[in-house]
Amino acid sequence: MKNFSAILAKSLRDILSPSVLSFIIKIGLGSMLLWIVILRLAWGPFEGFVASWLAKIPWIGTMDWFQEGGAFLAALALGYALVIVTISLLTSLLGERVILRIAAREYPEIRPVGGGKIHRSLYYTLKASLIFLLLFLFTLPLIFVPIFGQLWMLWLWSILLKEPTVYDVGSLFISDEEDLKRRSKKARLIALIAALFNYIPFLNIFAPLFAQILFLHYLLGKR
């Protein structure tokens, strides 16, 4: 636990460095602006889709109170989720240079073994995003259940972060996939910690890169 506290402290320091903040703000604000424009132009059909989806859920679709106010709230929640997915995707594709810069500064004795292949990085990120969105849509009403709903969302967000983070960071320094799997025992915990940012609007833009930085220090600190 002491070692993990040190990893967390290092990661918080790195996430606040100017170069990292610049990357996060560009990716985060760009993703938010993209979905604000899209949803503003297509809010009616989008909310209608969410309402029709809720109506098909047997145990919630017949509740008038949820159909009246719940559809709007659920549409907002889905829109927020789409922003988070977009930030995760762009961070996965573009964050390698930031991670390598931090690694060169903190662990100069450890040399990268290469880089992740773009198509595999895209595969892991799209796979995690699809699983996240499907589970989110099928369990949408659960997020309105006090306490349980918040814990469930935290678990869903960790799905979005875990596998892409392990590949995007791990493949830079470990070429043996079996070795990487063995060294990734705390990847779920790391994803859960980073996903906590998603509970705070605007700070959610930090989550994907913070997960990568946490995993970097966890992985290289042990070496």
PDB file of all heavy atoms in Angstrom, residues 70-103:
ATOM      1  N   GLY A  70     -37.370  10.669 -16.668  1.00  0.00           N
ATOM      2  CA  GLY A  70     -36.207   9.788 -16.742  1.00  0.00           C
ATOM      3  C   GLY A  70     -35.559   9.759 -18.108  1.00  0.00           C
ATOM      4  O   GLY A  70     -34.339   9.616 -18.211  1.00  0.00           O
ATOM      5  N   ALA A  71     -36.350   9.886 -19.167  1.00  0.00           N
ATOM      6  CA  ALA A  71     -35.792   9.838 -20.518  1.00  0.00           C
ATOM      7  C   ALA A  71     -34.812  10.983 -20.741  1.00  0.00           C
ATOM      8  O   ALA A  71     -33.739  10.797 -21.322  1.00  0.00           O
ATOM      9  CB  ALA A  71     -36.911   9.884 -21.554  1.00  0.00           C
ATOM     10  N   PHE A  72     -35.181  12.169 -20.273  1.00  0.00           N
ATOM     11  CA  PHE A  72     -34.303  13.325 -20.425  1.00  0.00           C
ATOM     12  C   PHE A  72     -33.000  13.128 -19.654  1.00  0.00           C
ATOM     13  O   PHE A  72     -31.904  13.361 -20.180  1.00  0.00           O
ATOM     14  CB  PHE A  72     -35.016  14.592 -19.943  1.00  0.00           C
ATOM     15  CG  PHE A  72     -34.151  15.820 -19.980  1.00  0.00           C
ATOM     16  CD1 PHE A  72     -33.886  16.457 -21.185  1.00  0.00           C
ATOM     17  CD2 PHE A  72     -33.599  16.327 -18.812  1.00  0.00           C
ATOM     18  CE1 PHE A  72     -33.070  17.588 -21.219  1.00  0.00           C
ATOM     19  CE2 PHE A  72     -32.790  17.451 -18.838  1.00  0.00           C
ATOM     20  CZ  PHE A  72     -32.524  18.086 -20.047  1.00  0.00           C
ATOM     21  N   LEU A  73     -33.113  12.677 -18.397  1.00  0.00           N
ATOM     22  CA  LEU A  73     -31.920  12.452 -17.579  1.00  0.00           C
ATOM     23  C   LEU A  73     -31.052  11.337 -18.158  1.00  0.00           C
ATOM     24  O   LEU A  73     -29.818  11.433 -18.170  1.00  0.00           O
ATOM     25  CB  LEU A  73     -32.328  12.099 -16.150  1.00  0.00           C
ATOM     26  CG  LEU A  73     -33.002  13.207 -15.347  1.00  0.00           C
ATOM     27  CD1 LEU A  73     -33.451  12.680 -13.991  1.00  0.00           C
ATOM     28  CD2 LEU A  73     -32.057  14.389 -15.173  1.00  0.00           C
ATOM     29  N   ALA A  74     -31.714  10.276 -18.650  1.00  0.00           N
ATOM     30  CA  ALA A  74     -30.976   9.179 -19.248  1.00  0.00           C
ATOM     31  C   ALA A  74     -30.255   9.621 -20.520  1.00  0.00           C
ATOM     32  O   ALA A  74     -29.139   9.183 -20.798  1.00  0.00           O
ATOM     33  CB  ALA A  74     -31.920   8.015 -19.550  1.00  0.00           C
ATOM     34  N   ALA A  75     -30.887  10.498 -21.308  1.00  0.00           N
ATOM     35  CA  ALA A  75     -30.261  11.018 -22.524  1.00  0.00           C
ATOM     36  C   ALA A  75     -29.031  11.850 -22.163  1.00  0.00           C
ATOM     37  O   ALA A  75     -27.992  11.763 -22.835  1.00  0.00           O
ATOM     38  CB  ALA A  75     -31.260  11.854 -23.317  1.00  0.00           C
ATOM     39  N   LEU A  76     -29.131  12.651 -21.098  1.00  0.00           N
ATOM     40  CA  LEU A  76     -27.973  13.420 -20.641  1.00  0.00           C
ATOM     41  C   LEU A  76     -26.838  12.488 -20.202  1.00  0.00           C
ATOM     42  O   LEU A  76     -25.666  12.723 -20.514  1.00  0.00           O
ATOM     43  CB  LEU A  76     -28.369  14.326 -19.475  1.00  0.00           C
ATOM     44  CG  LEU A  76     -29.176  15.583 -19.799  1.00  0.00           C
ATOM     45  CD1 LEU A  76     -29.492  16.335 -18.504  1.00  0.00           C
ATOM     46  CD2 LEU A  76     -28.410  16.499 -20.754  1.00  0.00           C
ATOM     47  N   ALA A  77     -27.208  11.420 -19.476  1.00  0.00           N
ATOM     48  CA  ALA A  77     -26.202  10.462 -19.003  1.00  0.00           C
ATOM     49  C   ALA A  77     -25.514   9.773 -20.175  1.00  0.00           C
ATOM     50  O   ALA A  77     -24.289   9.577 -20.164  1.00  0.00           O
ATOM     51  CB  ALA A  77     -26.857   9.426 -18.089  1.00  0.00           C
ATOM     52  N   LEU A  78     -26.287   9.409 -21.203  1.00  0.00           N
ATOM     53  CA  LEU A  78     -25.700   8.758 -22.371  1.00  0.00           C
ATOM     54  C   LEU A  78     -24.796   9.728 -23.132  1.00  0.00           C
ATOM     55  O   LEU A  78     -23.726   9.350 -23.609  1.00  0.00           O
ATOM     56  CB  LEU A  78     -26.803   8.229 -23.287  1.00  0.00           C
ATOM     57  CG  LEU A  78     -26.338   7.515 -24.564  1.00  0.00           C
ATOM     58  CD1 LEU A  78     -25.404   6.358 -24.232  1.00  0.00           C
ATOM     59  CD2 LEU A  78     -27.531   7.016 -25.366  1.00  0.00           C
ATOM     60  N   GLY A  79     -25.232  10.987 -23.251  1.00  0.00           N
ATOM     61  CA  GLY A  79     -24.394  11.990 -23.898  1.00  0.00           C
ATOM     62  C   GLY A  79     -23.074  12.170 -23.169  1.00  0.00           C
ATOM     63  O   GLY A  79     -22.006  12.270 -23.787  1.00  0.00           O
ATOM     64  N   TYR A  80     -23.132  12.187 -21.841  1.00  0.00           N
ATOM     65  CA  TYR A  80     -21.927  12.300 -21.018  1.00  0.00           C
ATOM     66  C   TYR A  80     -21.024  11.088 -21.240  1.00  0.00           C
ATOM     67  O   TYR A  80     -19.793  11.221 -21.355  1.00  0.00           O
ATOM     68  CB  TYR A  80     -22.345  12.411 -19.554  1.00  0.00           C
ATOM     69  CG  TYR A  80     -21.209  12.668 -18.584  1.00  0.00           C
ATOM     70  CD1 TYR A  80     -20.547  13.892 -18.583  1.00  0.00           C
ATOM     71  CD2 TYR A  80     -20.832  11.712 -17.656  1.00  0.00           C
ATOM     72  CE1 TYR A  80     -19.518  14.148 -17.683  1.00  0.00           C
ATOM     73  CE2 TYR A  80     -19.809  11.957 -16.752  1.00  0.00           C
ATOM     74  CZ  TYR A  80     -19.155  13.178 -16.770  1.00  0.00           C
ATOM     75  OH  TYR A  80     -18.130  13.417 -15.882  1.00  0.00           O
ATOM     76  N   ALA A  81     -21.636   9.913 -21.333  1.00  0.00           N
ATOM     77  CA  ALA A  81     -20.864   8.693 -21.570  1.00  0.00           C
ATOM     78  C   ALA A  81     -20.165   8.734 -22.927  1.00  0.00           C
ATOM     79  O   ALA A  81     -19.025   8.281 -23.066  1.00  0.00           O
ATOM     80  CB  ALA A  81     -21.774   7.471 -21.483  1.00  0.00           C
ATOM     81  N   LEU A  82     -20.819   9.288 -23.933  1.00  0.00           N
ATOM     82  CA  LEU A  82     -20.220   9.387 -25.269  1.00  0.00           C
ATOM     83  C   LEU A  82     -19.013  10.330 -25.262  1.00  0.00           C
ATOM     84  O   LEU A  82     -18.031  10.094 -25.977  1.00  0.00           O
ATOM     85  CB  LEU A  82     -21.262   9.864 -26.279  1.00  0.00           C
ATOM     86  CG  LEU A  82     -22.367   8.849 -26.600  1.00  0.00           C
ATOM     87  CD1 LEU A  82     -23.449   9.494 -27.463  1.00  0.00           C
ATOM     88  CD2 LEU A  82     -21.784   7.627 -27.311  1.00  0.00           C
ATOM     89  N   VAL A  83     -19.089  11.390 -24.477  1.00  0.00           N
ATOM     90  CA  VAL A  83     -17.937  12.287 -24.328  1.00  0.00           C
ATOM     91  C   VAL A  83     -16.755  11.526 -23.723  1.00  0.00           C
ATOM     92  O   VAL A  83     -15.620  11.623 -24.207  1.00  0.00           O
ATOM     93  CB  VAL A  83     -18.293  13.502 -23.448  1.00  0.00           C
ATOM     94  CG1 VAL A  83     -17.041  14.312 -23.119  1.00  0.00           C
ATOM     95  CG2 VAL A  83     -19.303  14.395 -24.146  1.00  0.00           C
ATOM     96  N   ILE A  84     -17.017  10.747 -22.683  1.00  0.00           N
ATOM     97  CA  ILE A  84     -15.966   9.990 -22.009  1.00  0.00           C
ATOM     98  C   ILE A  84     -15.353   8.952 -22.947  1.00  0.00           C
ATOM     99  O   ILE A  84     -14.129   8.764 -22.981  1.00  0.00           O
ATOM    100  CB  ILE A  84     -16.527   9.325 -20.737  1.00  0.00           C
ATOM    101  CG1 ILE A  84     -16.879  10.400 -19.704  1.00  0.00           C
ATOM    102  CG2 ILE A  84     -15.535   8.332 -20.146  1.00  0.00           C
ATOM    103  CD1 ILE A  84     -17.610   9.883 -18.493  1.00  0.00           C
ATOM    104  N   VAL A  85     -16.193   8.278 -23.731  1.00  0.00           N
ATOM    105  CA  VAL A  85     -15.692   7.293 -24.693  1.00  0.00           C
ATOM    106  C   VAL A  85     -14.778   7.962 -25.717  1.00  0.00           C
ATOM    107  O   VAL A  85     -13.712   7.433 -26.070  1.00  0.00           O
ATOM    108  CB  VAL A  85     -16.872   6.586 -25.398  1.00  0.00           C
ATOM    109  CG1 VAL A  85     -16.381   5.805 -26.619  1.00  0.00           C
ATOM    110  CG2 VAL A  85     -17.579   5.642 -24.434  1.00  0.00           C
ATOM    111  N   THR A  86     -15.174   9.130 -26.202  1.00  0.00           N
ATOM    112  CA  THR A  86     -14.374   9.847 -27.198  1.00  0.00           C
ATOM    113  C   THR A  86     -13.030  10.279 -26.631  1.00  0.00           C
ATOM    114  O   THR A  86     -11.989  10.143 -27.288  1.00  0.00           O
ATOM    115  CB  THR A  86     -15.143  11.078 -27.717  1.00  0.00           C
ATOM    116  OG1 THR A  86     -16.410  10.661 -28.222  1.00  0.00           O
ATOM    117  CG2 THR A  86     -14.367  11.777 -28.828  1.00  0.00           C
ATOM    118  N   ILE A  87     -13.025  10.778 -25.392  1.00  0.00           N
ATOM    119  CA  ILE A  87     -11.772  11.173 -24.747  1.00  0.00           C
ATOM    120  C   ILE A  87     -10.860   9.955 -24.589  1.00  0.00           C
ATOM    121  O   ILE A  87      -9.653  10.027 -24.831  1.00  0.00           O
ATOM    122  CB  ILE A  87     -12.049  11.817 -23.374  1.00  0.00           C
ATOM    123  CG1 ILE A  87     -12.784  13.146 -23.548  1.00  0.00           C
ATOM    124  CG2 ILE A  87     -10.744  12.040 -22.607  1.00  0.00           C
ATOM    125  CD1 ILE A  87     -13.282  13.756 -22.246  1.00  0.00           C
ATOM    126  N   SER A  88     -11.427   8.822 -24.197  1.00  0.00           N
ATOM    127  CA  SER A  88     -10.645   7.593 -24.030  1.00  0.00           C
ATOM    128  C   SER A  88     -10.038   7.144 -25.352  1.00  0.00           C
ATOM    129  O   SER A  88      -8.866   6.746 -25.415  1.00  0.00           O
ATOM    130  CB  SER A  88     -11.526   6.477 -23.457  1.00  0.00           C
ATOM    131  OG  SER A  88     -12.001   6.817 -22.172  1.00  0.00           O
ATOM    132  N   LEU A  89     -10.823   7.219 -26.415  1.00  0.00           N
ATOM    133  CA  LEU A  89     -10.347   6.802 -27.735  1.00  0.00           C
ATOM    134  C   LEU A  89      -9.197   7.694 -28.200  1.00  0.00           C
ATOM    135  O   LEU A  89      -8.152   7.194 -28.644  1.00  0.00           O
ATOM    136  CB  LEU A  89     -11.507   6.852 -28.734  1.00  0.00           C
ATOM    137  CG  LEU A  89     -11.173   6.524 -30.200  1.00  0.00           C
ATOM    138  CD1 LEU A  89     -10.627   5.110 -30.314  1.00  0.00           C
ATOM    139  CD2 LEU A  89     -12.400   6.692 -31.080  1.00  0.00           C
ATOM    140  N   LEU A  90      -9.360   9.004 -28.094  1.00  0.00           N
ATOM    141  CA  LEU A  90      -8.327   9.925 -28.554  1.00  0.00           C
ATOM    142  C   LEU A  90      -7.063   9.834 -27.701  1.00  0.00           C
ATOM    143  O   LEU A  90      -5.944   9.925 -28.220  1.00  0.00           O
ATOM    144  CB  LEU A  90      -8.869  11.361 -28.546  1.00  0.00           C
ATOM    145  CG  LEU A  90      -9.971  11.660 -29.560  1.00  0.00           C
ATOM    146  CD1 LEU A  90     -10.485  13.085 -29.406  1.00  0.00           C
ATOM    147  CD2 LEU A  90      -9.463  11.439 -30.990  1.00  0.00           C
ATOM    148  N   THR A  91      -7.231   9.624 -26.402  1.00  0.00           N
ATOM    149  CA  THR A  91      -6.064   9.466 -25.525  1.00  0.00           C
ATOM    150  C   THR A  91      -5.301   8.205 -25.877  1.00  0.00           C
ATOM    151  O   THR A  91      -4.061   8.193 -25.903  1.00  0.00           O
ATOM    152  CB  THR A  91      -6.501   9.420 -24.051  1.00  0.00           C
ATOM    153  OG1 THR A  91      -7.175  10.635 -23.716  1.00  0.00           O
ATOM    154  CG2 THR A  91      -5.296   9.250 -23.133  1.00  0.00           C
ATOM    155  N   SER A  92      -6.022   7.134 -26.152  1.00  0.00           N
ATOM    156  CA  SER A  92      -5.387   5.880 -26.532  1.00  0.00           C
ATOM    157  C   SER A  92      -4.582   6.027 -27.816  1.00  0.00           C
ATOM    158  O   SER A  92      -3.475   5.493 -27.942  1.00  0.00           O
ATOM    159  CB  SER A  92      -6.455   4.785 -26.703  1.00  0.00           C
ATOM    160  OG  SER A  92      -5.859   3.560 -27.059  1.00  0.00           O
ATOM    161  N   LEU A  93      -5.113   6.782 -28.768  1.00  0.00           N
ATOM    162  CA  LEU A  93      -4.458   6.926 -30.068  1.00  0.00           C
ATOM    163  C   LEU A  93      -3.325   7.947 -30.058  1.00  0.00           C
ATOM    164  O   LEU A  93      -2.354   7.808 -30.808  1.00  0.00           O
ATOM    165  CB  LEU A  93      -5.494   7.321 -31.127  1.00  0.00           C
ATOM    166  CG  LEU A  93      -6.582   6.288 -31.438  1.00  0.00           C
ATOM    167  CD1 LEU A  93      -7.573   6.848 -32.438  1.00  0.00           C
ATOM    168  CD2 LEU A  93      -5.961   4.990 -31.967  1.00  0.00           C
ATOM    169  N   LEU A  94      -3.434   8.970 -29.212  1.00  0.00           N
ATOM    170  CA  LEU A  94      -2.512  10.099 -29.297  1.00  0.00           C
ATOM    171  C   LEU A  94      -1.628  10.296 -28.063  1.00  0.00           C
ATOM    172  O   LEU A  94      -0.750  11.161 -28.079  1.00  0.00           O
ATOM    173  CB  LEU A  94      -3.307  11.394 -29.543  1.00  0.00           C
ATOM    174  CG  LEU A  94      -4.227  11.410 -30.770  1.00  0.00           C
ATOM    175  CD1 LEU A  94      -5.044  12.698 -30.801  1.00  0.00           C
ATOM    176  CD2 LEU A  94      -3.415  11.257 -32.045  1.00  0.00           C
ATOM    177  N   GLY A  95      -1.838   9.518 -27.020  1.00  0.00           N
ATOM    178  CA  GLY A  95      -1.147   9.768 -25.760  1.00  0.00           C
ATOM    179  C   GLY A  95       0.245   9.175 -25.639  1.00  0.00           C
ATOM    180  O   GLY A  95       0.939   9.430 -24.645  1.00  0.00           O
ATOM    181  N   GLU A  96       0.701   8.423 -26.637  1.00  0.00           N
ATOM    182  CA  GLU A  96       1.988   7.732 -26.530  1.00  0.00           C
ATOM    183  C   GLU A  96       3.149   8.691 -26.289  1.00  0.00           C
ATOM    184  O   GLU A  96       4.022   8.437 -25.447  1.00  0.00           O
ATOM    185  CB  GLU A  96       2.245   6.920 -27.800  1.00  0.00           C
ATOM    186  CG  GLU A  96       3.563   6.172 -27.800  1.00  0.00           C
ATOM    187  CD  GLU A  96       3.775   5.347 -29.065  1.00  0.00           C
ATOM    188  OE1 GLU A  96       2.861   4.555 -29.407  1.00  0.00           O
ATOM    189  OE2 GLU A  96       4.827   5.507 -29.691  1.00  0.00           O
ATOM    190  N   ARG A  97       3.181   9.808 -26.995  1.00  0.00           N
ATOM    191  CA  ARG A  97       4.294  10.750 -26.856  1.00  0.00           C
ATOM    192  C   ARG A  97       4.368  11.315 -25.437  1.00  0.00           C
ATOM    193  O   ARG A  97       5.460  11.483 -24.881  1.00  0.00           O
ATOM    194  CB  ARG A  97       4.131  11.886 -27.863  1.00  0.00           C
ATOM    195  CG  ARG A  97       5.298  12.857 -27.881  1.00  0.00           C
ATOM    196  CD  ARG A  97       5.096  13.924 -28.945  1.00  0.00           C
ATOM    197  NE  ARG A  97       5.024  13.337 -30.281  1.00  0.00           N
ATOM    198  CZ  ARG A  97       4.850  14.046 -31.390  1.00  0.00           C
ATOM    199  NH1 ARG A  97       4.695  15.371 -31.311  1.00  0.00           N
ATOM    200  NH2 ARG A  97       4.803  13.460 -32.556  1.00  0.00           N
ATOM    201  N   VAL A  98       3.217  11.586 -24.844  1.00  0.00           N
ATOM    202  CA  VAL A  98       3.192  12.105 -23.470  1.00  0.00           C
ATOM    203  C   VAL A  98       3.761  11.069 -22.500  1.00  0.00           C
ATOM    204  O   VAL A  98       4.570  11.395 -21.622  1.00  0.00           O
ATOM    205  CB  VAL A  98       1.746  12.482 -23.060  1.00  0.00           C
ATOM    206  CG1 VAL A  98       1.704  12.952 -21.614  1.00  0.00           C
ATOM    207  CG2 VAL A  98       1.199  13.552 -23.990  1.00  0.00           C
ATOM    208  N   ILE A  99       3.346   9.816 -22.658  1.00  0.00           N
ATOM    209  CA  ILE A  99       3.815   8.750 -21.775  1.00  0.00           C
ATOM    210  C   ILE A  99       5.311   8.533 -21.920  1.00  0.00           C
ATOM    211  O   ILE A  99       6.042   8.382 -20.928  1.00  0.00           O
ATOM    212  CB  ILE A  99       3.045   7.444 -22.079  1.00  0.00           C
ATOM    213  CG1 ILE A  99       1.570   7.594 -21.716  1.00  0.00           C
ATOM    214  CG2 ILE A  99       3.660   6.269 -21.325  1.00  0.00           C
ATOM    215  CD1 ILE A  99       1.314   7.919 -20.261  1.00  0.00           C
ATOM    216  N   LEU A 100       5.825   8.552 -23.148  1.00  0.00           N
ATOM    217  CA  LEU A 100       7.256   8.366 -23.373  1.00  0.00           C
ATOM    218  C   LEU A 100       8.066   9.516 -22.774  1.00  0.00           C
ATOM    219  O   LEU A 100       9.163   9.307 -22.253  1.00  0.00           O
ATOM    220  CB  LEU A 100       7.539   8.240 -24.869  1.00  0.00           C
ATOM    221  CG  LEU A 100       7.102   6.928 -25.528  1.00  0.00           C
ATOM    222  CD1 LEU A 100       7.312   6.990 -27.029  1.00  0.00           C
ATOM    223  CD2 LEU A 100       7.861   5.748 -24.928  1.00  0.00           C
ATOM    224  N   ARG A 101       7.529  10.723 -22.820  1.00  0.00           N
ATOM    225  CA  ARG A 101       8.228  11.874 -22.254  1.00  0.00           C
ATOM    226  C   ARG A 101       8.344  11.738 -20.729  1.00  0.00           C
ATOM    227  O   ARG A 101       9.383  12.018 -20.144  1.00  0.00           O
ATOM    228  CB  ARG A 101       7.486  13.155 -22.629  1.00  0.00           C
ATOM    229  CG  ARG A 101       8.260  14.436 -22.289  1.00  0.00           C
ATOM    230  CD  ARG A 101       7.470  15.669 -22.651  1.00  0.00           C
ATOM    231  NE  ARG A 101       7.167  15.711 -24.073  1.00  0.00           N
ATOM    232  CZ  ARG A 101       5.949  15.792 -24.590  1.00  0.00           C
ATOM    233  NH1 ARG A 101       4.893  15.819 -23.776  1.00  0.00           N
ATOM    234  NH2 ARG A 101       5.758  15.840 -25.881  1.00  0.00           N
ATOM    235  N   ILE A 102       7.248  11.294 -20.104  1.00  0.00           N
ATOM    236  CA  ILE A 102       7.280  11.098 -18.647  1.00  0.00           C
ATOM    237  C   ILE A 102       8.237   9.975 -18.282  1.00  0.00           C
ATOM    238  O   ILE A 102       9.025  10.082 -17.334  1.00  0.00           O
ATOM    239  CB  ILE A 102       5.862  10.786 -18.114  1.00  0.00           C
ATOM    240  CG1 ILE A 102       4.944  11.998 -18.302  1.00  0.00           C
ATOM    241  CG2 ILE A 102       5.919  10.387 -16.633  1.00  0.00           C
ATOM    242  CD1 ILE A 102       3.495  11.725 -17.980  1.00  0.00           C
ATOM    243  N   ALA A 103       8.204   8.884 -19.055  1.00  0.00           N
ATOM    244  CA  ALA A 103       9.085   7.743 -18.783  1.00  0.00           C
ATOM    245  C   ALA A 103      10.553   8.127 -18.921  1.00  0.00           C
ATOM    246  O   ALA A 103      11.398   7.714 -18.104  1.00  0.00           O
ATOM    247  CB  ALA A 103       8.749   6.595 -19.735  1.00  0.00           C
TER     248      ALA A 103
END
